[in-house]
Amino acid sequence: MPVTKETIALLRQYADTYETADFIVGDPSWWMHQVEGNENQEATAFVASCLSYGSRQQFMKRIGWLLECADGNMDQWIRGGSFERHILCGSGECLYRLYTHDTFNHFLKAYRHLMDTHGTLGAYVKARAHTGIEAIEAICTYFSEQGVEQIVPKNTLSACKRVCMFLRWMARNNSPVDIGLWNHFIDPRTLIMPLDTHVLQQSVRLGLLTTSTASMATARRLTAVLAEVFPDDPLRGDFALFGYGVNNQ
């Protein structure tokens, strides 16, 4: 079903209203704006995205604690192995929700191995992907092969919401929120909408979707619909749906 003119106008209005610097306050994207250097911003963003589920208040605290441990340089903290002093291998102590120290230690070791081998996550993805879905597949495949699929989805059957969100941050530019470090090799028009329960509910209410199943297939369908509203930048719809949710609670 085509998107109505009224819905298009509404979503464009909400995108204009909410894609501002104020959006990042309390959002996990805030952390990548607090550090300097492309590699540090990339590493901070990726780690922040991996923790961004559950209570926003709680995961923001935990990301802040990790960045404090890293002395503000997530890239060097991981690359140099200093995380081993704070995130203990073999420890069953809870780091955040389903993640124990041991689980997160293995994730960071896998990430460090990627850095040692490829330089940065961006360099790894650039060699394997030119579209959003290819980038998601590359990231999921690497971490699945490293045995840390509890933190990064093992494949693209699920909606991969946090990976899609991270890619939005990395590939969209000319935004007060997204930093566009990967814009030169990932076309923002190919990005996949970060889909969670909230986005799904708002999309159904607006008639953009008819399903309540969160999957990659659903995320791609929603992205295609949003491309009718924002042809050159479908993930502006992320801000639009956020705004719609705020104004229609």
Side-chain angles (χ1 to χ4, degrees):
M1 179 184 299
V3 186
T4 66
K5 291 181 180 179
E6 292 77 13
T7 300
I8 289 173
L10 183 69
L11 290 173
R12 288 176 178 172
Q13 177 188 338
Y14 281 137
D16 289 341
T17 301
Y18 284 91
E19 190 179 5
T20 68
D22 289 340
F23 179 89
I24 68 175
V25 178
D27 188 75
S29 61
W30 187 81
W31 296 104
M32 65 189 181
H33 291 274
Q34 308 312 305
V35 301
E36 297 181 352
N38 289 357
E39 292 183 356
N40 192 21
Q41 284 187 303
E42 179 184 299
T44 299
F46 186 56
V47 170
S49 71
C50 289
L51 284 163
S52 297
Y53 72 101
S55 163
R56 180 170 293 214
Q57 182 180 13
Q58 293 304 312
F59 70 63
M60 288 293 284
K61 283 182 182 178
R62 215 53 180 153
I63 297 166
W65 177 75
L66 288 173
L67 197 56
E68 184 179 335
C69 290
D71 240 356
N73 197 323
M74 192 74 73
D75 177 77
Q76 288 301 316
W77 186 62
I78 298 169
R79 194 181 297 274
S82 298
F83 66 86
E84 298 268 18
R85 298 201 298 267
H86 308 94
I87 313 297
L88 305 178
C89 181
S91 171
E93 180 185 352
C94 177
L95 179 84
Y96 177 68
R97 295 196 64 168
L98 300 175
Y99 303 162
T100 65
H101 274 246
D102 185 64
T103 301
F104 213 71
N105 178 280
H106 281 82
F107 163 69
L108 293 176
K109 281 178 178 172
Y111 192 6
R112 184 188 186 194
H113 177 70
L114 182 147
M115 290 175 166
D116 289 343
T117 307
H118 303 281
T120 63
L121 180 56
Y124 174 84
V125 173
K126 184 179 179 181
R128 292 159 178 80
H130 300 288
T131 66
I133 191 63
E134 290 172 349
I136 299 167
E137 289 169 349
I139 292 170
C140 290
T141 297
Y142 174 80
F143 285 96
S144 177
E145 289 174 348
Q146 298 297 313
V148 288
E149 59 192 43
Q150 184 178 353
I151 293 176
V152 179
K154 65 180 180 180
N155 56 44
T156 56
L157 293 178
S158 71
C160 299
K161 187 258 182 174
R162 286 171 287 163
V163 179
C164 291
M165 179 179 68
F166 169 70
L167 289 171
R168 196 202 82 203
W169 297 347
M170 292 295 103
R172 291 184 73 249
N173 62 356
N174 301 317
S175 169
V177 180
D178 303 327
I179 57 178
L181 298 180
W182 297 3
N183 182 263
H184 59 292
F185 65 91
I186 299 292
D187 187 335
R189 291 173 295 184
T190 70
L191 293 172
I192 309 298
M193 184 71 179
L195 182 68
D196 59 15
T197 301
H198 176 74
V199 169
L200 195 57
Q201 289 172 344
Q202 305 309 328
S203 300
V204 171
R205 288 175 69 187
L206 277 164
L208 306 178
L209 290 173
T210 58
T211 179
S212 58
T213 302
S215 66
M216 182 57 68
T218 303
R220 297 183 78 167
R221 281 199 297 274
L222 177 58
T223 305
V225 172
L226 290 171
E228 297 179 37
V229 185
F230 307 102
D232 296 322
D233 188 10
L235 263 59
R236 282 209 85 206
D238 206 359
F239 301 95
L241 289 172
F242 174 83
Y244 178 78
V246 168
N247 286 274
N248 293 274
Q249 293 179 347

